[in-house]
Amino acid sequence: MNSSDTIFAVSSGSGMAGIAVIRVSGLKAGLLLKRIAAGLPQPHMARVRLLRDPASREVIDQALVLWMPGPGSATGEDVAEFHVHGSSAVIDSLFAAFLSHDGVRLAEPGEFTRRAFINDRMDLVEAEGLADLLQARSQMQRRMAINHVTGRASSVYETWRGEMMAISAHLEAAIDFSEEDGVAEAALRDVKRRSKELIETLASAVTQSDRAGTLRSGVKVVIAGAPNVGKSSLLNKVAAREAAIVSSTPGTTRDVIEVSIVLVGVAVVLTDTAGLRLDSSDEIENIGMGRTRAELDGADIVVWLTSPDVRTEITPPALPDINVLNKLDLLDERSIHVRNDHVLGLSTVTGEGLDEFLGVLEQLIKQRFGTMDQAVVVRLRQKQAVEESIGFLKASLNYEADRLELAAECLRNACLCMARITGRVEVEELLGKIFSEFCIGK
């Protein structure tokens, strides 16, 4: 990757469309705009121009063009945009015109955003938020991503780092006046108090991070139970499509079936599993049951299904979040199942109780994940850095007034860990991984 090259890419997505936005960034962006669109328009003002091939002068398209000179652009470099008609023939012709110039090439994935980071147009947390925004499938994911891409999460990290620096400065000052009676001891008491308060704040953010990460990837709701209780039928009803094969033959589902849906603005991965029973001589069924148990171990919400026509001694491997009795249409009103307050009843055949089940599931999702869109620590990289900061802060508490230099070193390391989150220091090794998540046009 040569950072001095001028790069270009389609930034509006793949496939045929009415309009395709082609972005160019780098030293030759203005030159390309001049040669292809007959001059530079006024900065940040859209203009309609005929686009011509610089060599043959053949008209490529009539398009909207914009000129955004650096550093006041998205990447901090000179940027040109061509809003052309979205046919592959137009795009290919324009790309060929670009490539006829030396030092101009197709952008690599995430390269526009990487240049924005290098040129201080955004930090790493904002860049990760942009990646999440591009992949958001639900309103909660969108709100979480917006919280990061607009810099609100970064400001929290900077507040934490600022407090660490203030504590460190207080301690450094105490070291300078350590020969005066009581100065070191008084400073250390204040430093320890503030450090403990900050540790509590950071620990609370880390506690939320696992649920915030779940919100990013999708809440995993696993439907489990004995064979033939109607797990696949329930999955199809909730998904509103025939995603799983339904049969009266027990053991039809042998593998894990996942359907992505959105409930109460939250991305949900609804999972159908193989039925569980105490023993089976079928090797494939046993593999399926093993996968079911693995899915239950990784579930965020477990829906345990039973039915009055299936007798089984199997019990849930873990305490279910929702107990459901399916096939109410087969149930005798005098059955003990009806009098069990801890079981929701429904029928996937008649639809009875389905709305109540969805209401309970949605309420549970809101209770557990409804406020996670405001979480600050949402990625494993961020979580690990915050945990390292906590570790150094705790280590600083172990030193007394006669070893203030060691406490100060711990605080400096804590600040360093926090600075890495936004990309202020020593992050070169992270850049390739982070920006590779982007599509080519970003």
Side-chain angles (χ1 to χ4, degrees):
M1 182 187 296
N2 189 338
S3 60
S4 65
D5 288 344
T6 295
I7 58 174
F8 66 89
V10 177
S11 293
S12 52
S14 59
M16 188 174 294
I19 298 294
V21 179
I22 298 173
R23 178 182 291 174
V24 184
S25 180
L27 293 173
K28 294 187 177 180
L31 175 65
L32 293 175
L33 194 54
K34 283 181 183 178
R35 291 183 175 178
I36 295 172
L40 294 178
Q42 186 177 348
H44 306 287
M45 297 290 289
R47 291 291 182 265
V48 177
R49 297 283 177 87
L50 284 178
L51 308 183
R52 295 180 182 273
D53 184 280
S56 67
R57 304 310 299 163
E58 179 185 3
V59 174
I60 296 173
D61 194 13
Q62 186 177 42
L64 201 70
V65 298
L66 292 110
W67 167 238
M68 292 159 282
S73 68
T75 63
E77 302 174 330
D78 289 347
V79 171
E81 282 189 3
F82 298 80
H83 296 227
V84 301
H85 293 98
S87 73
S88 58
V90 169
I91 295 170
D92 289 346
S93 296
L94 192 56
F95 280 13
F98 293 159
L99 291 170
S100 66
H101 296 78
D102 291 336
V104 179
R105 62 173 172 81
L106 187 66
E108 297 181 14
E111 193 169 0
F112 286 97
T113 308
R114 181 170 182 148
R115 291 191 177 193
F117 168 74
I118 291 171
N119 294 318
D120 292 326
R121 301 298 293 176
M122 63 171 55
D123 63 32
L124 285 185
V125 175
E126 291 168 343
E128 289 170 327
L130 179 57
D132 289 341
L133 185 61
L134 293 172
Q135 298 174 30
R137 294 178 288 114
S138 71
Q139 293 302 315
M140 288 284 282
Q141 287 175 330
R142 177 189 62 80
R143 285 193 288 268
M144 174 183 283
I146 287 292
N147 192 44
H148 285 70
V149 78
T150 57
R152 289 198 290 269
S154 295
S155 68
V156 175
Y157 284 119
E158 285 304 300
T159 298
W160 292 340
R161 190 173 77 95
E163 176 63 5
M164 290 178 193
M165 292 174 66
I167 295 171
S168 181
H170 194 177
L171 197 57
E172 296 282 358
I175 294 173
D176 291 338
F177 295 95
S178 59
E179 295 181 359
E180 298 187 18
D181 290 341
V183 170
E185 289 77 5
L188 190 59
R189 284 195 298 271
D190 187 55
V191 162
K192 287 189 174 184
R193 176 187 60 79
R194 292 172 66 178
S195 294
K196 289 176 181 177
E197 291 174 354
L198 185 56
I199 288 170
E200 290 180 4
T201 300
L202 298 180
S204 177
V206 168
T207 300
Q208 285 189 325
S209 65
D210 288 339
R211 283 188 291 163
T214 295
L215 187 62
R216 285 184 62 242
S217 59
V219 177
K220 192 174 188 65
V221 177
V222 175
I223 304 171
N228 210 33
V229 294
K231 300 182 296 298
S232 298
S233 296
L234 182 58
L235 175 95
N236 291 342
K237 283 292 184 181
V238 176
R241 65 184 179 89
E242 296 297 314
I245 297 173
V246 175
S247 170
S248 59
T249 303
T252 301
T253 302
R254 297 294 186 96
D255 207 346
V256 175
I257 298 173
E258 294 184 339
V259 177
S260 295
I261 60 174
V262 176
L263 295 176
V264 290
V266 176
V268 172
V269 181
L270 193 64
T271 306
D272 181 21
T273 58
L276 293 174
R277 53 180 166 183
L278 292 179
D279 54 69
S280 173
S281 59
D282 189 321
E283 181 182 359
I284 296 177
E285 186 178 13
N286 283 323
I287 293 172
M289 288 193 291
R291 292 182 178 180
T292 296
R293 293 186 178 92
E295 290 297 315
L296 288 169
D297 288 340
D300 299 304
I301 294 175
V302 173
V303 177
W304 185 259
L305 211 61
T306 58
S307 68
D309 63 329
V310 176
R311 294 182 178 276
T312 179
E313 296 180 359
I314 194 75
T315 57
L319 185 65
D321 298 285
I322 306 176
N323 281 290
V324 177
L325 175 67
N326 188 23
K327 305 183 185 180
L328 281 183
D329 49 303
L330 302 181
L331 190 63
D332 186 330
E333 293 183 357
R334 294 169 295 177
S335 169
I336 189 173
H337 289 295
V338 177
R339 300 193 298 273
N340 191 336
D341 295 334
H342 300 291
V343 176
L344 287 172
L346 62 81
S347 170
T348 56
V349 173
T350 67
E352 179 185 358
L354 187 61
D355 288 343
E356 182 184 0
F357 164 72
L358 285 173
V360 171
L361 178 58
E362 289 172 347
Q363 186 61 32
L364 188 57
I365 291 172
K366 283 197 292 186
Q367 286 175 355
R368 294 187 181 179
F369 304 97
T371 61
M372 288 300 102
D373 56 340
Q374 298 301 311
V376 173
V377 184
V378 300
R379 288 185 173 231
L380 180 60
R381 179 188 76 86
Q382 299 166 359
K383 178 183 177 182
Q384 289 174 336
V386 173
E387 288 177 332
E388 287 177 14
S389 291
I390 292 173
F392 283 118
L393 286 171
K394 287 183 176 179
S396 73
L397 300 177
N398 296 326
Y399 298 107
E400 299 303 328
D402 59 339
R403 305 182 77 184
L404 292 184
E405 293 84 357
L406 296 178
E409 180 62 22
C410 290
L411 284 164
R412 281 192 290 271
N413 285 327
C415 287
L416 188 64
C417 292
M418 195 61 63
R420 290 195 186 108
I421 296 176
T422 56
R424 290 186 174 273
V425 291
E426 297 181 17
V427 295
E428 186 62 33
E429 70 276 10
L430 293 172
L431 299 189
K433 181 179 185 301
I434 290 172
F435 295 116
S436 66
E437 297 181 20
F438 289 84
C439 57
I440 288 178
K442 292 303 291 184

